[in-house]
Amino acid sequence: MPEATKSDYVLGIDVGGTKLYAGVFTHSLNCIGTARKSTKSQRGVAEVIKRIAKVAEEAVDEADLSLKQLKGIGIGAPGAVDSDTGTIIFAPNMEGWRNIPLKKELEKLLGVPVFVENDCNIAMLGVHSVELKSKPKNAFGIFVGTGIGGGIIINGELYSGFNRTAAEIGHMVIETGGPKCGCGNKGCLEALASRTAIFKRLQQAVKDGEKTLLTDMLGSNLDDMRSGNLRKALRKGDKLTEKVIEEAAEYIGIGVANLANILAPDTIVLGGGVIEALADEMLAIIIETANDYAMPGVMNKVEIFASKLGDEAGITGGAVLAKKLAK
Amino acid sequence: MPEATKSDYVLGIDVGGTKLYAGVFTHSLNCIGTARKSTKSQRGVAEVIKRIAKVAEEAVDEADLSLKQLKGIGIGAPGAVDSDTGTIIFAPNMEGWRNIPLKKELEKLLGVPVFVENDCNIAMLGVHSVELKSKPKNAFGIFVGTGIGGGIIINGELYSGFNRTAAEIGHMVIETGGPKCGCGNKGCLEALASRTAIFKRLQQAVKDGEKTLLTDMLGSNLDDMRSGNLRKALRKGDKLTEKVIEEAAEYIGIGVANLANILAPDTIVLGGGVIEALADEMLAIIIETANDYAMPGVMNKVEIFASKLGDEAGITGGAVLAKKLAK
């Protein structure tokens, strides 16, 4: 791009297993246009990459801009990401995503510099930079959705470590010999407290003959269960849902304490779809458990809360990344 | 001290629940004189502080120096340490050690600037600076002894975080609902794999009627058991000891994997009395388990090994701290 057409607009894209979400941001990180699309990962990698390019173009159009006016694009992608080369090493929730040079492919299609990071790292970057105005020096975020991921801020910067794999907190073992995780190990936090884990526990309980209002809503197989169903069941006083959500919140609280004991943060952020849907029910238990399990002094004056950015965390973080890295 | 008498010598002191160990180091961190003393914590805090001052004087005498020639003293102390003020907040293995202003008291007795840090942080600082020549950028150490502690290096510096409590890795829960820990929680790494935990498991097994050569060495209560006894039993092919040590090594391996998944280090150090005594038996199992439990890519090209500094890690780290902080 010739120097004259460069501008300070940036685009953030959140690439998820089911949804693509893009947002155009000004230099001062105000969002001025967004677009959404389903991922359709079953159509294959090449088609998904085209859809990512398309959602980018649509967001830019919504913002009354053209691609040429973008300084850069920051992408949060699920799974293991080599952020140096912008390659998706492996994304378990997307069919065929192994060693996909996403940066290279998108730069070819869009003609704009592209930067790729792990989706939870990006979400934490968004929360830290915009919601928390970059104030926390040492912080971590736990994002609870289909899986559990995290992001770590050290000395005010996103921390990725030697192999750029840091903050794989969903695969912290907290119950040796516990339930099997998608990663192949047993007892990972993700296998105990993610939406997937919660749903599995409820389905197993129903199979074992336990009663729940969820079967009235969804049938005896609990098909198409969503976090919203759990919220409804809880508000109607469903005992089984209450027990399972309480257990999950306790596991998350233990995970928070483990991380706090290791990292001594000033700020702890909770986010992701499960927290968004069930913050009222889970947050108090998470905080109480974390305080119980943290060593004396560790939680002293530490801020712990649920992010208000919600869905916006990913696109915001992508914009922050692009703003930071695009020349 | 008048400027003219200042020198580049520093003193490191390792304050343990049973032993005090001091070493004088040159500016280039060569040890030129050491002294040892038992701690005698049952005699009360004031007496222990006097003994620390005494072991300092004896080490200086061994090095043919006088206190005036010391630039500073760095101390590694067990438990929770406020390193900003040099106060021991709480040391569970030392009688009455709560909110003890160790820095202030020792500076009064010795007339030399004193700096205090947690003992495992100090050990990691010693290993990083001297054994590893400050090369690792992001590293952690796990020190397995009576308890389990750790130290974290981030961006080449000892990391202590917001409340300066970081690296409390012995109290990472890895088996929710597991055996009770000294900290009051259940299932901490320390309650599963420290020397204390190993001894408890062996004593319980003997009570439960299991056979072991250890009872021939130590009697049926396994009184005065030491790590060396375990090594002997292992070398004679004792099955119970083998099983218990293998289990402890697996737990440590899971702890290593958890930390590697979170911190993405380039270097992982194992140390402490248990590792020193049983490295041949434990190290391979620890590394194999860590590789099994770490996420893909996390352990790629990561160095993992047992420190060779042994007992010297604490005094060396103390010297590094003093060299760094003393004006």
Side-chain angles (χ1 to χ4, degrees):
Chain A
M1 265 184 309
E3 188 63 30
T5 63
K6 268 194 192 173
S7 128
D8 272 347
Y9 296 106
V10 284
L11 177 71
I13 311 182
D14 187 12
V15 173
T18 53
K19 276 183 311 183
L20 307 173
Y21 185 29
V24 178
F25 290 74
T26 62
H27 183 72
S28 44
L29 294 171
N30 290 316
C31 186
I32 55 167
T34 62
R36 286 173 194 273
K37 252 187 165 31
S38 54
T39 309
K40 306 279 186 204
S41 93
Q42 71 280 6
R43 294 193 191 165
V45 176
E47 177 65 18
V48 173
I49 293 174
K50 274 187 212 152
R51 295 177 72 81
I52 298 173
K54 213 159 181 192
V55 85
E57 284 166 353
E58 287 170 12
V60 167
D61 182 59
E62 278 297 315
D64 291 318
L65 296 173
S66 70
L67 280 170
K68 292 192 291 197
Q69 289 174 277
L70 291 183
K71 195 180 168 197
I73 300 175
I75 297 184
V81 173
D82 180 339
S83 52
D84 285 337
T85 62
T87 302
I88 314 291
I89 299 167
F90 177 47
N93 298 323
M94 310 239 294
E95 276 173 51
W97 283 67
R98 270 184 193 275
N99 297 313
I100 306 300
L102 186 61
K103 173 190 171 75
K104 211 177 100 190
E105 296 293 330
L106 284 175
E107 286 183 345
K108 231 187 287 172
L109 289 172
L110 297 170
V112 179
V114 171
F115 308 93
V116 189
E117 253 289 359
N118 168 272
D119 52 357
C120 290
N121 285 357
I122 281 286
M124 187 60 192
L125 186 62
V127 171
H128 181 256
S129 302
V130 174
E131 189 173 1
L132 303 175
K133 304 189 189 322
S134 298
K135 278 181 201 154
K137 205 177 153 210
N138 302 312
F140 65 82
I142 297 192
F143 299 92
V144 185
T146 315
I148 295 184
I152 297 175
I153 301 286
I154 302 259
N155 292 328
E157 302 279 343
L158 189 66
Y159 175 79
S160 53
F162 173 56
N163 278 318
R164 309 190 65 80
T165 53
E168 276 287 6
I169 65 178
H171 301 288
M172 171 168 59
V173 172
I174 63 171
E175 189 167 287
T176 301
K180 186 126 191 175
C181 183
C183 76
N185 291 328
K186 286 177 173 181
C188 298
L189 180 57
E190 179 165 307
L192 294 159
S194 65
R195 178 164 37 224
T196 317
I198 292 168
F199 286 1
K200 268 190 194 162
R201 289 203 172 204
L202 286 166
Q203 281 163 332
Q204 188 57 49
V206 169
K207 263 190 203 157
D208 294 346
E210 290 195 53
K211 296 265 173 269
T212 166
L213 296 173
L214 289 168
T215 50
D216 302 344
M217 298 183 209
L218 302 163
S220 61
N221 291 327
L222 302 183
D223 289 327
D224 297 323
M225 190 161 28
R226 286 154 173 269
S227 303
N229 300 124
L230 305 187
R231 195 176 47 211
K232 268 186 213 159
L234 286 174
R235 292 194 179 160
K236 288 182 183 167
D238 186 61
K239 289 293 166 205
L240 176 65
T241 308
E242 209 171 87
K243 195 184 82 182
V244 171
I245 290 298
E246 208 176 289
E247 275 174 15
E250 281 170 7
Y251 282 121
I252 295 168
I254 291 174
V256 167
N258 279 357
L259 286 164
N261 283 336
I262 295 163
L263 294 171
D266 49 55
T267 307
I268 298 170
V269 176
L270 292 147
V274 170
I275 301 292
E276 262 172 72
L278 299 164
D280 290 347
E281 289 78 9
M282 296 179 87
L283 206 58
I285 302 169
I286 293 171
I287 293 173
E288 194 190 328
T289 310
N291 282 320
D292 274 2
Y293 277 85
M295 287 297 99
V298 167
M299 295 297 282
N300 189 23
K301 296 186 184 160
V302 173
E303 306 266 358
I304 174 168
F305 60 90
S307 165
K308 286 183 188 71
L309 276 190
D311 248 15
E312 314 298 311
I315 56 170
T316 308
V320 173
L321 186 77
K323 190 181 150 183
K324 204 176 144 189
L325 296 182
K327 293 283 177 284
Chain B
M1 266 183 310
E3 188 62 32
T5 63
K6 268 195 191 171
S7 127
D8 271 345
Y9 297 105
V10 284
L11 177 70
I13 311 182
D14 187 12
V15 173
T18 53
K19 277 183 311 184
L20 307 173
Y21 184 29
V24 179
F25 290 75
T26 62
H27 182 72
S28 45
L29 295 171
N30 291 316
C31 186
I32 56 167
T34 62
R36 286 172 195 273
K37 250 187 166 34
S38 52
T39 308
K40 307 277 186 205
S41 91
Q42 70 281 6
R43 293 192 192 166
V45 175
E47 177 65 18
V48 172
I49 292 174
K50 274 187 211 152
R51 295 177 72 82
I52 297 173
K54 214 160 182 189
V55 82
E57 285 165 351
E58 287 170 11
V60 168
D61 182 62
E62 277 298 314
D64 291 318
L65 296 174
S66 70
L67 280 171
K68 292 192 291 195
Q69 289 174 276
L70 291 184
K71 194 179 167 199
I73 300 176
I75 297 185
V81 174
D82 179 341
S83 52
D84 285 336
T85 61
T87 302
I88 314 291
I89 299 167
F90 177 47
N93 298 323
M94 312 239 294
E95 276 173 53
W97 282 66
R98 270 184 193 275
N99 297 313
I100 306 300
L102 186 60
K103 173 190 172 75
K104 210 177 102 189
E105 296 294 329
L106 283 176
E107 286 182 345
K108 232 188 284 171
L109 290 171
L110 297 169
V112 179
V114 171
F115 308 93
V116 189
E117 253 289 0
N118 167 273
D119 53 358
C120 290
N121 284 355
I122 281 286
M124 187 61 193
L125 186 64
V127 171
H128 181 256
S129 302
V130 173
E131 188 173 2
L132 304 176
K133 304 191 189 321
S134 298
K135 278 181 201 154
K137 205 177 152 210
N138 302 312
F140 65 82
I142 297 191
F143 300 91
V144 185
T146 315
I148 295 184
I152 296 176
I153 301 287
I154 302 259
N155 292 327
E157 303 279 342
L158 189 65
Y159 175 79
S160 53
F162 173 56
N163 278 318
R164 308 190 65 81
T165 52
E168 275 287 7
I169 66 179
H171 301 289
M172 171 168 59
V173 173
I174 62 171
E175 191 168 285
T176 301
K180 187 125 190 173
C181 183
C183 74
N185 291 329
K186 286 178 172 179
C188 298
L189 180 57
E190 179 165 307
L192 294 159
S194 65
R195 178 164 40 226
T196 317
I198 292 168
F199 287 1
K200 268 191 193 161
R201 289 203 171 204
L202 287 166
Q203 279 162 333
Q204 188 57 48
V206 168
K207 262 190 206 158
D208 294 345
E210 290 195 53
K211 296 266 174 270
T212 166
L213 297 171
L214 289 168
T215 50
D216 301 345
M217 300 181 207
L218 302 162
S220 61
N221 291 327
L222 303 183
D223 289 327
D224 296 324
M225 189 161 29
R226 285 154 175 269
S227 302
N229 300 124
L230 306 187
R231 194 175 47 213
K232 267 186 212 157
L234 286 174
R235 293 194 178 158
K236 287 181 184 167
D238 186 61
K239 290 292 167 205
L240 176 65
T241 308
E242 209 171 87
K243 194 184 81 181
V244 171
I245 289 298
E246 208 175 288
E247 274 173 16
E250 281 170 6
Y251 281 120
I252 296 168
I254 291 174
V256 167
N258 279 358
L259 287 164
N261 283 336
I262 295 163
L263 295 170
D266 49 55
T267 307
I268 298 169
V269 176
L270 292 147
V274 170
I275 300 291
E276 264 172 69
L278 298 164
D280 291 347
E281 289 78 9
M282 296 180 88
L283 206 57
I285 301 169
I286 292 172
I287 294 173
E288 194 191 327
T289 310
N291 282 321
D292 274 1
Y293 277 84
M295 287 297 99
V298 168
M299 295 297 282
N300 188 23
K301 296 187 184 159
V302 173
E303 307 266 358
I304 173 168
F305 59 90
S307 165
K308 286 182 187 72
L309 275 190
D311 249 13
E312 314 298 312
I315 56 170
T316 307
V320 172
L321 185 77
K323 190 181 150 184
K324 203 176 145 188
L325 296 183
K327 296 279 177 285

